[in-house]
Amino acid sequence: MAKILVTADIHGSMAAWLTVQALMSEQDSLVVAGDLFDTRYGNYGSQDFQPDHIRSDLKSFDHPFYYVYGNCDVESYYPGQSHEKQFLVFGKTILLHHGHKTGIDHTRADIIIQGHTHLCSLEKKQNKIFLNPGSIALPRNNLATYASIDEKGISLLALKTGKPLASISFS
C-alpha cells in the first residue's frame, strides 16, 4: 500500500466520486468516513446525484476500502458495514466513524477519523491524531479537501491545488 486517501461526505455526487478515483494510484487504499451515498435525503433532482452508479463501481473497486455509515446513509442500501470501524495500517490503529453518534471510545486508537461537519481539521491532542478530511462534494467553507496517510504521516490537502493545508509527522 502506497498511501491511504481519506474522504467523507460525498453524498452520492458522481463528480466527487470520479475525483476521488482520479486521486488514487493502483497501490492506494480508500477510507470514506460516512455519507458516501446519501440515500436518506439525497438530491434526487440533480444529474450529479448517482448513488446507484457509485454502489455499482464498488463491486469492481480494486483497492482496500474502509467505509462507515453516515447519518445520511441508509444501511440497507449498502449492507454489511457499520457505524464505526477499527483497523491497523502503517503500524497505527485507526478508528473510523462518521461523527454524528456520541459515545465513541477514542482511547483504543492512535488516529481518529471522522467526517459529518464538511469542515476539515487535523490536530494532535496528547498522543492521538484527530482527522476530519472535510468534503470534496459539499464543503461548508467553500474549500474542497481530502487527506492522505502514508508511512511518514498525515496531510490534509486542498483539492484545487493539491497543496498541504496541515501535516502531522509520525516520527
Side-chain angles (χ1 to χ4, degrees), residues 17 30 100 125 139:
W17 177 245
L30 177 62
H100 67 293
K125 294 181 184 175

Side-chain angles (χ1 to χ4, degrees), residues 6-7 24 27 64 120 124 135 157:
V6 184
T7 189
M24 297 181 71
Q27 300 82 23
C120 64
K124 190 168 189 174
S135 176
L157 303 149

